[in-house]
Structure formats: C-alpha cells, structure tokens
Amino acid sequence: MNDPLPLDELAALRFLERVQERDLARTRRWITDAERREAERIRGEQARPPAPDWLIEQGLDGRAPVYVHVGGCHMAGKRSRGVTQDQARRALYEGVDACPHCRPDTELGVLE
C-alpha cells in the first residue's frame, strides 16, 4: 500500500512556530499602527486652536448676521464664525438677535 507518510512531528512544530511568529509580527504591527493613530489624535487635539468665546451666525445668504452666540452654543450653525467680545457686543447693539438658547446679551450685559 502507498499510505501517505505522516508529517514528522518536528517539522509540524517548526511549521506551527513560523505561523505563530507571523501572527505575532502582524499583531505587533497592528499595535504599532494603533499607537501611532492615538499619538496623532492627541497631537491634533493639542494643536487645535481654542474655541472662540463668541460667535456670529450668518444668514443663508452668507452676509447678513442673524444671531450672536456664546462660544460652544449647541444651536450655533455651520455658518458661524468666531468674533471678539467687542464685535459680539457691537452686533447686539446694531440689532443682531441674541440666541434665545445661550443668551449672549445677558452674558455681555447688553439689555434691550
């Protein structure tokens, strides 16, 4: 009979060792990649400029201001830009509405 020869035990163990070394190397690459991504994320957070204290939200036309917001207001739209405290106060005096949620007029001491 021509029965196939069983794998030599040592050869099988060497094969298993090579497979596990490749798996370990791949896992170490994944760890290195994850550490790199985390370091980049932290660097990005540290390099991010601070959020503005005051925002003016522009209308749909992109020109006329529609609301003044306190920085970080959850209602500030994507058309908002950061401004100084004096610019926010001036906008309120010039008739731009104060956001009814964050009430920048109260924080700035501007009473109507």
Side-chain angles (χ1 to χ4, degrees), residues 5 7 22 24-25 33 46-47 53 58 61 66 71 73 76-77 81 83-84 89 93 95-96 100-101 104 112:
L5 295 174
L7 281 178
R22 276 182 271 172
L24 181 58
D33 291 344
Q46 292 170 344
D53 292 332
Q58 303 297 317
D61 64 1
V66 291
C73 175
R81 62 180 171 84
V83 295
T84 66
R89 186 176 282 124
Y93 283 129
V96 178
H101 295 272
E112 295 183 35

Side-chain angles (χ1 to χ4, degrees), residues 9-68:
E9 184 178 350
L10 183 58
L13 290 172
R14 291 288 182 201
F15 172 76
L16 178 61
E17 179 182 42
R18 286 191 307 274
V19 169
Q20 289 177 336
E21 284 174 344
R22 276 182 271 172
D23 286 347
L24 181 58
R26 183 181 60 224
T27 301
R28 286 181 174 155
R29 281 193 309 273
W30 289 344
I31 291 169
T32 300
D33 291 344
E35 289 171 341
R36 179 187 42 77
R37 285 190 305 271
E38 179 65 11
E40 288 172 357
R41 185 190 65 76
I42 290 170
R43 271 195 310 277
E45 284 180 0
Q46 292 170 344
R48 185 176 299 140
D53 292 332
W54 308 100
L55 300 167
I56 292 184
E57 183 175 349
Q58 303 297 317
L60 292 175
D61 64 1
R63 294 188 184 118
V66 291
Y67 284 115
V68 176

Side-chain angles (χ1 to χ4, degrees), residues 68-85:
V68 176
H69 297 275
V70 173
C73 175
H74 67 280
M75 293 301 291
K78 293 181 179 180
R79 297 178 312 271
S80 299
R81 62 180 171 84
V83 295
T84 66
Q85 182 175 351

Side-chain angles (χ1 to χ4, degrees), residues 88-110:
R89 186 176 282 124
R90 188 174 329 114
L92 291 170
Y93 283 129
E94 291 174 357
V96 178
D97 290 334
C99 171
H101 295 272
C102 63
R103 302 304 308 181
D105 51 346
T106 303
E107 287 205 32
L108 290 169
V110 176

